[in-house]
Amino acid sequence: MNQIVVLFDMDDTLCDLSGALARDMNLIKSPSETGFAPPLPGQKSPPYLKARKIMVFNQPNWWLNLECYEPGWDILYEVQKLGYEFQIASKPSPDCHDSARQKLEWVETYLGSVVTHLTGDKSRIRADFMVDDWIPYGSKWLDNNPNGRLIIPYHVWNKDFQHDRAIHCRGPEDLEAVRAVLTTPKLSE
């Protein structure tokens, strides 16, 4: 029997990127500005906010110091309880050339020696499940993995996505449904 493989995204799945970005962007906003909120899919940030984001991303060890995102870790614990193999699939930031190194160090610090894919196209990685918050990546992965299933840690930017092979996880209240998906026999070829 082949080992079941679950791919985990890092940013806003295992790491609280949006929380750290909002915290640091709010530290450098002017008093007349409203609080920072990351743009939703399809929205563009004004150039001055993009420049600030690049400045935040390039702080020494910013990526390495990201805190854990609890809903993603709740899913990871379920995967570990089932004895499934998990791997990391993450896209390094084009705005910080050191993000790839820091992401690898973050994985080693929090997860130990785990297969880690740093790639611009996660859809090419074969697995039984993918856990990812970003719908453009998750949707493309579903297209290229016709037997795979997507587990989506809930965020405002992905709340409306629906797919017959996808499930949202808002937190502990959804873990029973996630466990049911994880233990459902593999979809037929």
Side-chain angles (χ1 to χ4, degrees):
M1 182 169 141
N2 290 339
Q3 174 71 17
I4 293 176
V5 177
V6 183
L7 292 178
F8 277 84
D9 171 50
M10 289 181 69
D11 305 336
D12 289 318
T13 297
L14 291 176
C15 311
D16 188 13
L17 180 132
S18 290
L21 181 60
R23 176 199 65 219
D24 291 352
M25 291 289 277
N26 285 322
L27 288 173
I28 57 176
K29 72 179 181 68
S30 78
S32 63
E33 291 177 313
T34 59
F36 174 80
L40 297 174
Q43 293 180 332
K44 297 278 185 198
S45 293
Y48 73 94
L49 284 180
K50 173 85 171 154
R52 288 181 193 171
K53 182 178 95 168
I54 291 170
M55 185 175 72
V56 166
F57 281 178
N58 282 280
Q59 293 177 88
N61 293 323
W62 191 83
W63 297 87
L64 182 58
N65 292 320
L66 289 175
E67 294 180 6
C68 296
Y69 184 67
E70 192 170 330
W73 281 82
D74 288 342
I75 299 166
L76 177 62
Y77 294 142
E78 291 299 320
V79 167
Q80 289 176 318
K81 282 188 223 173
L82 292 167
Y84 295 169
E85 178 184 349
F86 69 92
Q87 300 178 4
I88 303 301
S90 189
K91 179 180 178 181
S93 172
D95 296 323
C96 176
H97 296 297
D98 197 35
S99 68
R101 178 193 62 80
Q102 291 181 51
K103 285 182 175 209
L104 289 171
E105 284 188 41
W106 191 98
V107 169
E108 182 68 31
T109 299
Y110 287 93
L111 300 169
S113 182
V114 175
V115 174
T116 303
H117 309 269
L118 296 179
T119 179
D121 187 358
K122 300 175 192 180
S123 73
R124 295 174 181 235
I125 304 169
R126 297 287 176 244
D128 300 284
F129 300 92
M130 181 177 203
V131 183
D132 201 323
D133 67 294
W134 195 244
I135 297 308
Y137 296 156
S139 181
K140 188 175 177 186
W141 182 85
L142 284 170
D143 290 344
N144 287 337
N145 289 270
N147 298 316
R149 286 166 281 178
L150 178 65
I151 301 169
I152 308 164
Y154 177 88
H155 289 281
V156 67
W157 55 82
N158 63 33
K159 65 184 173 72
D160 295 326
F161 180 75
Q162 293 185 353
H163 191 286
D164 62 341
R165 292 185 288 123
I167 183 173
H168 284 86
C169 182
R170 292 167 296 197
E173 66 272 22
D174 291 330
L175 288 178
E176 189 173 324
V178 168
R179 193 176 311 109
V181 168
L182 287 167
T183 56
T184 300
K186 187 172 181 171
L187 299 172
S188 60
E189 298 288 333

